[in-house]
């Protein structure tokens, strides 16, 4: 039984002063750093959008951050410009340990967002992470990071679909909580067999 820690999007833009700051986002950093020591394999994800990405409200005339839009793959929340490739906002929080086995970038396709570390938001385009973990014999995943109700939840749910045993450590996560999104995500994860630790 081999375990991996998946650290989702602990980047400047999701921390205090960032473009899409998650309330208390910074608080996860020491908790995650301490947790890394308990895992054989540590993996970081990095939200990594090209300028003008289709998930940005600024890319849609008349739209504002947190509005939604219908994309070919379903409803997409529109965000402030964030985690633009090569910017300070896209960099990891300066105190996060980054000596990980793998850093997976996602959301780099302009026309398609990717909350999950496993599949893009069309739910069919794979990132390759499933194969990476499987070929290394990893069966158990603990998912932590930002934000609980978006990239953490989507990653945990897809990990279950891929057949992994999944725990989300809520002490090492913080949420955006948009229109009840946190409660909905917690229910969905519980129903999918994700172990929620708090
Ligand atoms: C995220 C919204 C947009 C996340 C990423 O990391 O949860 N949320 N891009
Ligand atoms: Zn994003």
């Amino acid at each position: 039984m081999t375990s991996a820690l998946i650290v989702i999007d602990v980047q400047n833009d999701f921390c205090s002063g960032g473009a899409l700051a998650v309330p208390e986002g910074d608080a996860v950093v020491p908790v995650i750093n301490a947790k890394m020591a308990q895992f054989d394999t540590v993996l970081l994800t990095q939200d990594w959008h090209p300028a003008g990405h289709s998930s940005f409200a600024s890319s849609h005339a008349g739209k504002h951050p947190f509005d939604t839009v219908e994309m070919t793959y379903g409803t997409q929340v529109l965000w402030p410009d964030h985690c633009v490739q090569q910017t300070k906002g896209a960099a990891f929080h300066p105190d996060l340990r980054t000596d990980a086995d793998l850093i997976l970038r996602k959301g780099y396709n302009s026309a398609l967002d990717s909350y999950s570390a496993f599949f893009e938001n069309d739910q069919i385009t794979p990132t390759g992470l499933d194969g990476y973990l499987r070929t290394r014999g990893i069966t158990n995943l603990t998912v932590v990071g930002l934000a609980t109700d978006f990239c953490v939840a989507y990653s945990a749910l897809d990990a279950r679909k891929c057949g992994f045993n999944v725990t989300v450590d809520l002490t090492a996560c913080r949420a955006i909580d948009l229109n009840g999104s946190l409660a909905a995500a917690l229910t969905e994860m519980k129903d999918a067999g994700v172990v929620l630790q708090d």
Side-chain angles (χ1 to χ4, degrees):
M1 198 169 72
T2 311
S3 302
L5 180 68
I6 303 192
V7 180
I8 303 289
D9 299 358
V10 182
Q11 293 165 260
N12 289 323
D13 269 343
F14 297 120
C15 294
S16 67
L20 179 42
V22 177
E24 298 178 8
D26 307 60
V28 302
V29 174
V31 185
I32 291 173
N33 284 345
K35 258 192 118 58
M36 284 176 176
Q38 303 164 16
F39 287 84
D40 319 314
T41 303
V42 175
L43 197 148
L44 311 179
T45 70
Q46 196 170 22
D47 211 35
W48 194 250
H49 300 307
H53 191 257
S54 58
S55 75
F56 297 169
S58 63
S59 303
H60 302 263
K63 290 288 190 182
H64 301 282
F66 313 110
D67 287 349
T68 57
V69 73
E70 291 308 315
M71 305 288 257
T72 51
Y73 54 85
T75 303
Q76 169 73 47
V77 178
L78 296 175
W79 305 104
D81 291 24
H82 65 280
C83 297
V84 174
Q85 295 172 5
Q86 316 291 355
T87 63
K88 184 164 176 262
F92 291 114
H93 185 290
D95 298 331
L96 183 73
R97 280 185 51 181
T98 56
D99 51 336
D101 298 70
L102 178 75
I103 296 176
L104 181 96
R105 288 173 167 166
K106 60 182 181 63
Y108 47 72
N109 290 324
S110 233
L112 179 55
D113 203 4
S114 189
Y115 293 151
S116 161
F118 291 88
F119 297 98
E120 304 205 41
N121 283 11
D122 62 359
Q123 296 182 314
I124 45 174
T125 306
T127 63
L129 182 59
D130 179 32
Y132 173 88
L133 295 169
R134 205 170 292 285
T135 53
R136 292 174 56 119
I138 291 161
T139 51
N140 290 23
L141 303 179
T142 295
V143 186
V144 296
L146 306 172
T148 320
D149 41 347
F150 287 92
C151 293
V152 170
Y154 275 68
S155 297
L157 290 167
D158 280 350
R160 288 293 299 141
K161 285 180 197 149
C162 292
F164 295 97
N165 300 315
V166 185
T167 298
V168 169
D169 180 351
L170 294 170
T171 69
C173 297
R174 290 295 185 279
I176 295 173
D177 204 8
L178 200 63
N179 307 317
S181 57
L182 176 58
L186 293 175
T187 302
E188 213 181 327
M189 288 193 281
K190 212 179 296 171
D191 290 349
V194 174
V195 176
L196 299 177
Q197 225 169 36
D198 52 13

